[in-house]
Amino acid sequence: MLPRLHRLRKTDIGAVITSGRTYQSPGLNLKIRSGDQSLSFAIVVSNKVANLASDRNKLKRQIRYIINKNLGLMNRGFQGVFFAKNSLKTTLFKDLEKDIVYLLKSAGVIR
Protein backbone atom coordinates (compact mmCIF):
# COMPACT_ATOMS: atom_id res chain seq x y z
CA MET A 1 0.00 0.00 0.00
CA LEU A 2 1.24 3.45 -0.83
CA PRO A 3 1.58 5.79 2.12
CA ARG A 4 -1.46 8.06 2.51
CA LEU A 5 0.68 11.05 1.58
CA HIS A 6 1.34 9.54 -1.87
CA ARG A 7 -2.23 8.43 -2.68
CA LEU A 8 -4.19 10.57 -5.09
CA ARG A 9 -7.68 11.40 -3.80
CA LYS A 10 -10.75 10.56 -5.85
CA THR A 11 -11.60 14.25 -6.14
CA ASP A 12 -8.23 14.95 -7.79
CA ILE A 13 -8.32 12.06 -10.29
CA GLY A 14 -10.75 13.89 -12.60
CA ALA A 15 -8.53 16.95 -12.67
CA VAL A 16 -5.49 14.87 -13.59
CA ILE A 17 -7.38 13.08 -16.36
CA THR A 18 -8.70 16.28 -17.92
CA SER A 19 -5.63 18.49 -17.62
CA GLY A 20 -2.80 15.94 -17.47
CA ARG A 21 -0.35 14.97 -20.17
CA THR A 22 -0.38 11.36 -21.44
CA TYR A 23 2.62 9.04 -21.68
CA GLN A 24 2.28 5.53 -23.12
CA SER A 25 4.10 2.22 -22.93
CA PRO A 26 3.04 -1.21 -24.22
CA GLY A 27 1.26 -2.14 -20.98
CA LEU A 28 0.37 1.15 -19.31
CA ASN A 29 -0.78 4.71 -19.86
CA LEU A 30 0.25 7.45 -17.46
CA LYS A 31 -1.67 10.70 -17.13
CA ILE A 32 0.38 13.20 -15.17
CA ARG A 33 0.22 16.85 -14.26
CA SER A 34 2.18 19.26 -12.15
CA GLY A 35 0.52 19.81 -8.82
CA ASP A 36 1.41 21.10 -5.41
CA GLN A 37 4.56 20.03 -3.58
CA SER A 38 3.27 16.51 -2.93
CA LEU A 39 3.78 13.44 -5.09
CA SER A 40 0.68 11.29 -5.46
CA PHE A 41 -0.54 8.47 -7.70
CA ALA A 42 -3.68 6.47 -8.44
CA ILE A 43 -3.96 3.15 -10.29
CA VAL A 44 -6.86 2.13 -12.52
CA VAL A 45 -7.33 -1.45 -13.72
CA SER A 46 -10.67 -1.92 -15.44
CA ASN A 47 -12.83 -5.01 -15.86
CA LYS A 48 -11.79 -5.13 -19.51
CA VAL A 49 -8.20 -5.75 -18.49
CA ALA A 50 -8.91 -8.45 -15.89
CA ASN A 51 -12.34 -9.91 -15.21
CA LEU A 52 -11.46 -11.38 -11.82
CA ALA A 53 -11.06 -8.99 -8.90
CA SER A 54 -8.09 -11.01 -7.64
CA ASP A 55 -6.26 -10.43 -10.94
CA ARG A 56 -7.03 -6.70 -10.87
CA ASN A 57 -5.83 -6.47 -7.28
CA LYS A 58 -2.63 -8.35 -8.11
CA LEU A 59 -1.81 -5.90 -10.91
CA LYS A 60 -2.52 -2.94 -8.62
CA ARG A 61 -0.33 -4.42 -5.87
CA GLN A 62 2.55 -4.92 -8.30
CA ILE A 63 2.28 -1.35 -9.62
CA ARG A 64 2.06 0.08 -6.09
CA TYR A 65 5.13 -1.91 -5.05
CA ILE A 66 7.18 -0.56 -7.96
CA ILE A 67 6.07 3.02 -7.28
CA ASN A 68 6.82 2.65 -3.56
CA LYS A 69 10.25 1.17 -4.33
CA ASN A 70 11.18 4.17 -6.52
CA LEU A 71 9.71 6.96 -4.36
CA GLY A 72 13.16 8.06 -3.22
CA LEU A 73 14.21 8.77 -6.81
CA MET A 74 11.16 10.87 -7.70
CA ASN A 75 10.82 14.63 -7.83
CA ARG A 76 7.98 16.18 -5.84
CA GLY A 77 5.15 18.20 -7.33
CA PHE A 78 3.44 15.65 -9.59
CA GLN A 79 0.06 13.93 -9.59
CA GLY A 80 -0.37 10.86 -11.79
CA VAL A 81 -2.85 8.16 -12.74
CA PHE A 82 -1.71 4.81 -14.17
CA PHE A 83 -4.15 3.06 -16.53
CA ALA A 84 -3.58 -0.63 -17.25
CA LYS A 85 -3.94 -1.95 -20.81
CA ASN A 86 -5.05 -5.44 -21.88
CA SER A 87 -1.50 -6.55 -22.64
CA LEU A 88 -0.56 -6.10 -18.98
CA LYS A 89 -2.17 -9.43 -18.03
CA THR A 90 0.60 -11.44 -19.66
CA THR A 91 3.47 -9.09 -18.80
CA LEU A 92 6.22 -10.31 -16.48
CA PHE A 93 6.97 -8.33 -13.33
CA LYS A 94 10.42 -7.22 -14.51
CA ASP A 95 8.92 -5.92 -17.76
CA LEU A 96 6.22 -4.10 -15.81
CA GLU A 97 8.91 -2.48 -13.68
CA LYS A 98 10.79 -1.36 -16.80
CA ASP A 99 7.57 0.10 -18.26
CA ILE A 100 6.80 2.10 -15.12
CA VAL A 101 10.34 3.44 -14.77
CA TYR A 102 10.35 4.36 -18.48
CA LEU A 103 7.06 6.25 -18.13
CA LEU A 104 8.22 8.10 -15.03
CA LYS A 105 11.53 9.07 -16.64
CA SER A 106 9.88 10.31 -19.82
CA ALA A 107 7.44 12.35 -17.72
CA GLY A 108 10.33 13.88 -15.78
CA VAL A 109 9.27 12.45 -12.44
CA ILE A 110 12.39 10.34 -11.89
CA ARG A 111 15.67 12.23 -11.76
Side-chain angles (χ1 to χ4, degrees):
M1 183 65 78
L2 282 173
R4 183 174 294 277
L5 175 67
H6 298 296
R7 285 185 234 159
L8 190 61
R9 285 180 261 140
K10 286 184 181 181
T11 56
D12 296 333
I13 291 175
V16 173
I17 291 172
T18 56
S19 66
R21 183 163 177 194
T22 304
Y23 296 91
Q24 298 181 12
S25 73
L28 291 165
N29 285 342
L30 171 64
K31 279 276 206 178
I32 197 154
R33 76 174 186 152
S34 305
D36 51 4
Q37 285 300 80
S38 67
L39 176 68
S40 52
F41 292 100
I43 301 159
V44 178
V45 181
S46 72
N47 282 336
K48 292 180 183 179
V49 174
N51 286 336
L52 296 177
S54 57
D55 293 338
R56 289 192 301 275
N57 291 338
K58 179 182 177 183
L59 290 171
K60 288 188 232 179
R61 271 195 317 271
Q62 289 176 337
I63 295 170
R64 276 195 305 263
Y65 175 79
I66 295 167
I67 291 171
N68 208 7
K69 181 178 160 185
N70 293 301
L71 275 176
L73 304 173
M74 296 183 194
N75 298 320
R76 304 287 177 236
F78 290 98
Q79 296 176 330
V81 180
F82 284 96
F83 294 95
K85 294 182 184 177
N86 283 335
S87 62
L88 197 63
K89 284 188 290 191
T90 58
T91 305
L92 297 175
F93 180 78
K94 64 180 182 178
D95 296 330
L96 176 62
E97 188 169 12
K98 287 178 188 175
D99 277 353
I100 292 173
V101 170
Y102 166 77
L103 287 172
L104 293 172
K105 280 184 180 178
S106 57
V109 178
I110 289 185
R111 302 176 199 140

